[in-house]
């Protein structure tokens, strides 16, 4: 059984204390965070920590992001039900599930096929039908389905990849951590009448984006 009363209580506490109390206001994002069973996306040995206020290991040296970070990055995208979103760094698939509840289609890329397969299996079991998966270098985007109304990068890049700017729709929003391999600043990049605007949100720490327009492997 995926869901129990106890997990639901844990999730309510997480949403109230870590998400709403810290200023996330978009009710659709709050509702999505309330619906997705985060404990299902982590290894069984970490399940009892799934609703705590920090990232957790998902194996292969990678992490599932802190719940608050997932909520803020999602809120910054300002997603509408008809939107198409590109996600770079599928990881556990947890952020993918939140996005899939809020838009029409999610295109998600993960460079490690073992993580992609595990995420795909979990998202299939939860019944999601609006997610396309790819194993590969997400720093190059996924040109086939561009342009995207939203692009979210859940790994830290040295710079905003040009490929992602090119694949962002007019009025689109791109959320990406930019900085060194250890520390970054969350950036919001928007495109209006072909012009690019960039705003820094706050400091953060993500695993590196490895690839042609990321850090060298
Ligand atoms: N959003 C994920 C979740 O909810 O579990 C967490 C993602 S984790 C912080 C970052 C992920 O980005 C890792 O799984 C890593 O393998 C992946 N990654 C790093 N560089 C990548 C690239 N160039 N293309 C695709 N995925 C990449």
């Amino acid at each position: 059984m995926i869901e129990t009363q106890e997990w639901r209580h844990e999730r309510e506490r997480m949403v109230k204390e870590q998400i709403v109390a810290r200023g996330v206001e978009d009710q659709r994002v709050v509702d999505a965070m309330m619906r997705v069973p985060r404990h299902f996306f982590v290894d069984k040995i970490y399940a009892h920590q799934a609703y705590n206020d920090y990232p957790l290991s998902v194996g292969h040296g990678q992490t599932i992001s802190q719940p608050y970070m997932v909520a803020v990055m999602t809120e910054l995208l300002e997603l509408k039900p008809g939107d198409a979103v590109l996600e770079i760094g599928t990881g556990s698939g947890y952020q993918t599930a939140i996005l899939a509840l809020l838009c029409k289609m999610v295109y998600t890329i993960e460079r490690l096929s073992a993580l992609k397969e595990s995420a795909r299996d979990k998202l299939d079991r939860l019944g999601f039908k609006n997610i396309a998966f790819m194993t590969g270098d997400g720093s190059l985007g996924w040109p086939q389905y561009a342009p995207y109304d939203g692009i979210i990068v859940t790994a830290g890049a040295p710079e905003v990849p040009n490929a992602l700017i090119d694949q962002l729709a007019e009025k689109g929003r791109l959320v990406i951590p930019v900085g060194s391999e250890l520390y970054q600043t969350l950036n919001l990049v928007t495109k209006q009448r072909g012009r690019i605007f960039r705003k820094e949100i706050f400091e953060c720490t993500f695993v590196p984006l490895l690839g042609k327009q990321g850090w060298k492997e």
Side-chain angles (χ1 to χ4, degrees), residues 32-167:
M33 299 289 295
M34 206 32 245
R35 277 179 64 188
V36 177
R38 184 172 161 93
H39 62 275
F40 182 61
F41 288 87
V42 302
D43 197 283
K44 280 199 179 68
I45 58 163
Y46 295 120
H48 64 290
Q49 298 181 62
Y51 296 99
N52 291 354
D53 192 15
Y54 43 75
L56 287 168
S57 165
V58 291
H60 308 274
Q62 306 302 327
T63 52
I64 175 173
S65 306
Q66 177 197 24
Y68 174 66
M69 188 62 72
V70 172
V72 168
M73 291 176 82
T74 308
E75 185 173 52
L76 285 167
L77 289 174
E78 296 185 3
L79 294 177
K80 295 185 285 303
D83 284 353
V85 175
L86 176 66
E87 179 192 35
I88 315 301
T90 316
S92 69
Y94 173 68
Q95 169 83 73
T96 321
I98 301 283
L99 296 170
L101 289 177
L102 296 172
C103 69
K104 186 166 182 197
M105 190 70 200
V106 181
Y107 300 87
T108 185
I109 309 177
E110 170 57 55
R111 60 181 279 278
L112 301 174
S113 66
L115 283 181
K116 182 199 80 174
E117 289 308 329
S118 159
R120 189 211 293 265
D121 175 59
K122 292 193 161 101
L123 292 160
D124 281 352
R125 285 169 63 193
L126 289 176
F128 285 97
K129 302 269 186 264
N130 59 337
I131 303 168
F133 298 84
M134 181 171 100
T135 303
D137 178 5
S139 73
L140 302 174
W142 196 342
Q144 187 182 351
Y145 298 106
Y148 301 98
D149 306 294
I151 300 180
I152 177 169
V153 183
T154 61
E159 255 312 325
V160 184
N162 284 330
L164 300 186
I165 292 176
D166 291 346
Q167 291 171 36

Side-chain angles (χ1 to χ4, degrees), residues 7-25:
W7 288 127
R8 228 182 343 268
H9 283 321
E10 284 282 289
R11 203 152 59 244
E12 271 167 18
R13 181 187 56 77
M14 172 193 86
V15 169
K16 191 166 158 232
E17 293 174 8
Q18 300 169 35
I19 310 296
V20 177
R22 292 197 189 132
V24 173
E25 290 178 340

